[in-house]
Each structure stands twice: as structure tokens, then as C-alpha cells.
């Protein structure tokens, strides 16, 4: 059996089970499609469960805020609240309300929603090849402990984050770092036994001062000097986003980024070493951390951008900062352009007046394929636009739309024949927020 290739067929195959992919699979399953969800990890959620513990992008920055993502995202939040505390809190950087959850609870929530939608999950399966021709993807091949599996479908959704399916199928994309800078990588970590009262009493400006002072002393290697820590639903535990590692490099005349296995392996190892240095800084210099201990590293490094597919439309910086609306938009984003560039700080540019930009359906359509949609951080956007619209809530909105569209396209196998007006109506009927007028005012932050 080791030399044979197993075959699985479905109406819709979704590659990647992060916030975009899990949402796409749930939406397509609820719409009646036979869905196979392929995931490299042993659990669903991607970055939402393997790296982070907070959803950003549900709300616009400012006061009052507006809620701009609903639909399947709301179902996820309801599932989390049924399992334990969920904390709504102001974002450390002022990017809008963050919703902090227990990542292990979220694994179960994603699984329950997918199972209830009739989705078949294939875990521990890593895509490494695809069969395509004439603008159509016919199959993807994944590696498992039993050998190769070929998964065939009428419609595919690439929600891998890294556009892995598109890469192996010969679908065009921009390699982040090759034409413009690529955002950095981050290994997150959690601390326990933190004296939260003392920590909270120390303002963020003071933490930044302490970081800079520690780095200037020469006693600490802190490449980033404005990272964040925040409370979690677990008493005495904080979570951090502090480390910073380069995501690409030039080898001779070739640029490689975090899709390169050698670079990614080196950064995973380096990220944990760097995290330990920030742990030492917190314990030595920050009030409330004197008796704290490391609880865990993220199970994988956090990747912000690697490949961005060329779609029928490419969202850009001017669209975001101009709060542009589109006739075919399937979701909204109010998040600022949040560029985790190399260096000690992060660049922020806000949409004027607390506005929102629309996410066109066309950005989910790879220009080189008829039966493929993309959703999540590999969607069709420039570096700057992706730095705004890559938040997990927007990934859920894109996934929700891509899943419904995929189910609709099963009958004819062409994602461009989907009735976009009907798709937008379906999204609104399912609680999604599609246009500016759908957004609701949200006052304050609550647990």
C-alpha cells in the first residue's frame, strides 16, 4: 500500500483550515455541498489556534466603534462563550476592540461547527502537488502517514495562507519580499503567575521606555521595542506579541521567504530563542512579572505574508485609505494598515474618519483559474492593502463568501458564473456584514 495513491472526491475541497478555510468549509457545507477540509495540523484554526488568542478586525478603531464582521464569525464567538470566558478589550495599539479567547476552546468550536455542517476533515495532511490544465485545477495531492492522497473536486478553495494550491497549480502570485518588503515573523508566548494588578498599573508608554532602556544597556537582545502583552481568560496569564524575525532573504539573485523550508525552519528555532530573551526582560524589568514563568510558545511561528495571488481585482493602498466601496464587495474592513516591517517599530496608517474598505469578490478569484477561489491572507492585494485586510475577522468574512460561492459554483465549475448579487443577499441573510450600512454601532468593551 505504501506505493499507491489513495483518492478522495468531494464537491468542494478547501485547503487550509484557518479562520478563512474553516469558515469556507462551514459555509459550503451548510449550503449543501460535499466538503473536504484539508489541514496540515492536527486541529482546525490555523493562526487562530496555533499562534494567537485574539480576533482582530471585528470592529473599527475609535469611539464609538462599529462592528463590521458577522455571520460565521458570530457563530464562532457564540461557541466560545458557551465554553468559557471571552474577553473584549481595547487593542494595545488602538487598532480596534480585540476579542481574546482560549485557543484550545477555539479548536473545539471550529470542529463542532464544521462537523455540524457535514464537513469531512482530513488532518495531518500536507499539500505538495496539484494537477491542473486549461485554467482548471483537477486534483491536489497531500502527504499523509499512509502515503499520498489525491483529493479531487469540482471547486477548490485555497485558504492555505501561503497560496500553496495556487503555487503547485501554476496560478500566478506575487512572492512577498521579491518586489516589496514582506512583513516580519513572530513567535508568540504566554506567561503565568503574573501579578496583573501591578502589570496593568504600568502604562504602555512605560513598557516601551523599559524596553528601550534594556536594549540600550546591552544586556538584552530585543530587536523589537514596542511589542505588546495582554490579559487572557485565564487568571494570572498574559499573552505576548513581542518577537520579530526577518521573513525573507536574498540568496544570490533569488529571494526566498517563509515558504522556503530552510528559512522557515531556521526562523522557528530562532524565534523561540528570541522569545526567551523577552521572557527574561519581562521578569527582570516589568512590574508584575517578577514571579512569572513561561507557560508556552506558540506551536508554530506567526507568518503574516508570503504569497499574494493575482486576482481579477487587486486591492491596493489607495482603496484602503480611500475607504472605497465596490459593487461586488462581500465584506468590510476597518483595520488600519498595520505593517510589521523590519526594525524596532511597526508602521500604522488609519482609514480616515473611522471608515471601512470593501473586500471585492473579484479579489477572491485567481485570474489564472476557473474553478478556484482564494480566501485569507493570500487573497489578491498589494503589500499595503494586505497589511490591513489580513486580520482574522476579515479572513472569516472572506471564507464565508468563498464557501458559499464554491457551493454555488459546483453545478457548473466556474466561479465567475456565480450570481454575486445573490451571493451578497445570502451573506446578509446569514448575518454577514457586506456593506457600510449593515455595520452596527458598538459602545465600549465587555467580557
Amino acid at each position: 500500500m505504501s506505493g499507491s495513491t489513495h483518492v478522495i472526491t468531494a464537491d468542494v475541497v478547501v485547503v487550509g483550515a484557518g479562520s478563512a478555510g474553516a469558515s469556507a468549509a462551514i459555509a459550503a457545507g451548510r449550503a449543501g455541498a460535499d466538503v473536504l477540509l484539508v489541514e496540515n495540523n492536527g486541529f482546525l484554526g490555523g493562526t487562530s489556534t496555533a499562534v494567537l488568542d485574539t480576533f482582530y478586525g471585528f470592529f473599527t478603531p475609535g469611539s464609538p466603534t462599529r462592528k463590521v464582521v458577522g455571520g460565521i464569525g458570530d457563530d464562532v464567538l457564540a461557541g466560545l462563550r458557551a465554553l468559557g470566558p471571552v474577553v473584549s478589550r481595547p487593542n494595545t495599539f488602538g487598532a480596534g476592540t480585540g476579542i481574546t479567547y482560549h485557543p484550545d476552546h477555539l479548536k473545539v468550536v471550529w470542529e463542532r461547527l464544521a462537523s455540524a455542517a457535514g464537513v469531512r476533515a482530513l488532518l495531518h495532511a500536507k499539500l505538495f502537488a496539484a494537477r491542473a490544465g486549461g485554467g482548471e485545477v483537477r486534483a491536489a495531492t497531500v502527504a499523509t502517514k499512509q502515503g499520498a492522497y489525491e483529493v479531487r473536486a469540482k471547486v477548490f478553495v485555497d485558504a492555505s495562507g501561503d497560496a500553496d494550491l495556487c503555487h503547485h497549480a501554476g496560478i500566478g502570485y506575487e512572492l512577498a519580499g521579491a518586489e516589496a518588503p514582506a512583513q516580519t515573523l513572530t513567535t508568540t508566548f504566554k506567561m503565568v503567575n503574573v501579578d496583573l494588578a501591578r502589570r496593568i498599573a504600568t502604562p504602555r508608554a512605560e513598557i516601551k521606555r523599559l524596553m528601550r532602556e534594556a536594549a540600550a544597556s546591552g544586556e538584552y537582545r530585543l530587536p523589537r521595542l514596542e511589542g505588546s502583552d495582554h490579559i487572557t481568560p485565564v487568571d494570572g496569564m498574559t499573552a505576548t506579541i513581542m518577537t520579530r524575525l526577518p521573513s525573507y532573504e536574498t540568496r544570490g539573485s533569488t529571494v526566498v521567504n517563509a515558504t522556503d523550508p530552510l528559512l522557515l525552519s531556521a526562523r522557528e528555532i530562532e524565534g523561540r530563542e528570541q522569545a526567551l530573551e523577552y521572557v527574561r526582560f519581562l521578569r527582570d524589568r516589568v512590574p508584575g512579572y517578577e514571579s512569572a514563568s513561561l507557560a508556552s510558545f506558540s506551536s508554530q511561528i506567526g507568518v503574516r505574508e508570503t504569497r499574494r495571488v493575482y486576482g481579477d481585482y487587486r486591492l491596493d493602498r489607495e482603496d484602503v485609505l480611500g475607504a472605497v466601496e465596490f459593487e461586488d464587495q462581500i465584506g468590510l474592513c476597518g483595520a488600519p494598515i498595520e505593517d510589521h516591517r523590519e526594525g524596532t517599530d511597526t508602521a500604522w496608517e488609519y482609514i480616515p474618519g473611522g471608515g471601512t474598505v470593501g473586500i471585492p469578490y473579484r479579489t477572491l478569484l485567481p485570474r489564472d483559474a476557473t474553478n478556484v477561489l482564494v480566501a485569507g491572507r493570500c487573497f489578491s492585494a498589494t503589500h499595503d492593502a494586505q497589511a490591513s485586510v489580513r486580520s482574522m475577522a476579515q479572513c472569516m468574512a472572506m471564507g464565508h463568501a468563498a464557501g458559499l460561492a464554491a457551493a454555488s459554483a459546483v453545478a457548473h465549475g466556474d466561479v465567475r458564473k456565480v450570481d454575486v448579487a445573490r451571493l451578497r443577499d445570502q451573506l446578509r441573510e446569514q448575518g454577514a456584514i457586506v456593506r457600510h450600512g449593515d455595520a452596527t454601532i458598538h459602545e465600549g468593551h465587555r467580557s
Side-chain angles (χ1 to χ4, degrees):
M1 293 292 290
S2 60
S4 62
T5 298
H6 305 265
V7 175
I8 304 178
T9 60
D11 292 333
V12 175
V13 166
V14 180
V15 178
S19 295
S23 297
I26 292 162
R30 288 176 175 178
D34 174 25
V35 181
L36 180 70
L37 178 58
V38 178
E39 170 56 35
N40 181 48
N41 287 315
F43 49 86
L44 307 187
T47 296
S48 72
T49 50
V51 181
L52 297 176
D53 69 345
T54 299
F55 291 133
Y56 296 117
F58 272 97
F59 302 95
T60 59
S63 182
T65 65
R66 284 184 297 125
K67 187 171 183 290
V68 294
V69 172
I72 287 174
D74 284 344
D75 296 338
V76 171
L77 296 181
L80 284 167
R81 291 185 174 113
L83 290 178
V86 175
V87 180
S88 296
R89 57 181 181 78
N91 175 251
T92 307
F93 298 100
T97 300
I99 302 173
T100 299
Y101 50 83
H102 196 307
D104 288 323
H105 284 171
L106 182 56
K107 292 174 184 176
V108 175
V109 171
W110 282 127
E111 290 162 357
R112 287 177 176 178
L113 290 172
S115 178
V119 173
R120 292 179 288 158
L122 181 63
L123 306 180
H124 299 292
K126 189 173 186 65
L127 185 143
F128 69 91
R131 271 198 303 116
E136 181 181 74
V137 174
R138 299 183 177 92
T141 306
V142 299
T144 76
K145 290 182 179 297
Q146 197 175 31
Y149 274 72
E150 185 176 82
V151 293
R152 302 171 183 171
K154 298 173 183 176
V155 182
F156 289 84
V157 178
D158 188 342
S160 63
D162 298 319
D164 288 334
L165 177 66
C166 291
H167 169 73
H168 290 291
I171 294 169
Y173 58 82
E174 180 182 342
L175 186 72
E179 298 177 24
Q183 295 200 67
T184 54
L185 310 172
T186 296
T187 299
T188 62
F189 62 92
K190 292 180 179 177
M191 301 284 286
V192 290
N193 298 325
V194 181
D195 185 334
L196 293 178
R198 295 190 66 235
R199 169 59 194 91
I200 292 169
T202 306
R204 178 170 175 258
E206 175 64 7
I207 301 298
K208 287 181 67 174
R209 188 192 70 78
L210 291 170
M211 274 189 173
R212 294 182 184 278
E213 182 182 82
S217 73
E219 298 175 19
Y220 301 85
R221 299 181 304 279
L222 306 178
R224 182 180 179 187
L225 301 178
E226 41 78 86
S228 68
D229 60 336
H230 60 256
I231 60 172
T232 74
V234 179
D235 290 341
M237 175 181 281
T238 60
T240 70
I241 303 175
M242 290 184 173
T243 67
R244 171 162 288 165
L245 299 103
S247 64
Y248 67 102
E249 64 187 23
T250 301
R251 297 177 188 161
S253 60
T254 303
V255 172
V256 298
N257 67 13
T259 56
D260 178 85
L262 296 177
L263 184 145
L264 187 60
S265 297
R267 296 296 185 267
E268 289 278 15
I269 294 167
E270 183 184 353
R272 284 183 281 273
E273 292 287 355
Q274 196 178 109
L276 287 177
E277 191 74 345
Y278 280 94
V279 168
R280 188 167 72 92
F281 157 74
L282 290 170
R283 285 174 51 89
D284 290 352
R285 302 266 181 146
V286 177
Y289 279 100
E290 295 87 349
S291 299
S293 301
L294 174 69
S296 63
F297 298 124
S298 52
S299 60
Q300 62 191 48
I301 201 164
V303 180
R304 295 181 172 92
E305 63 171 337
T306 52
R307 303 180 181 120
R308 287 175 275 105
V309 171
Y310 291 125
D312 286 3
Y313 185 85
R314 201 174 192 213
L315 200 71
D316 63 22
R317 172 191 183 84
E318 289 70 29
D319 292 329
V320 173
L321 296 181
V324 175
E325 298 245 315
F326 301 88
E327 288 187 6
D328 66 333
Q329 70 188 40
I330 46 75
L332 294 174
C333 176
I337 296 175
E338 177 186 345
D339 191 353
H340 289 256
R341 59 194 180 186
E342 291 190 37
T344 61
D345 63 351
T346 301
W348 298 81
E349 291 185 80
Y350 290 81
I351 301 175
T356 56
V357 62
I359 306 171
Y361 177 65
R362 288 166 292 161
T363 64
L364 310 185
L365 305 182
R367 68 185 185 189
D368 300 329
T370 58
N371 69 330
V372 178
L373 295 115
V374 294
R377 61 179 172 84
C378 60
F379 84 120
S380 180
T382 64
H383 167 79
D384 288 330
Q386 194 262 10
S388 169
V389 186
R390 65 178 175 80
S391 294
M392 286 193 288
Q394 278 64 48
C395 289
M396 290 185 225
M398 285 187 269
H400 191 167
L404 278 179
S408 176
V410 165
H412 43 70
D414 189 339
V415 295
R416 287 172 183 79
K417 291 182 180 179
V418 171
D419 184 336
V420 179
R422 175 58 184 148
L423 172 65
R424 283 158 50 88
D425 288 343
Q426 286 179 301
L427 287 166
R428 281 195 290 267
E429 289 165 6
Q430 295 177 17
I433 298 173
V434 172
R435 58 189 177 189
H436 183 83
D438 298 337
T440 57
I441 298 296
H442 171 77
E443 299 283 358
H445 312 278
R446 62 181 184 275
S447 297

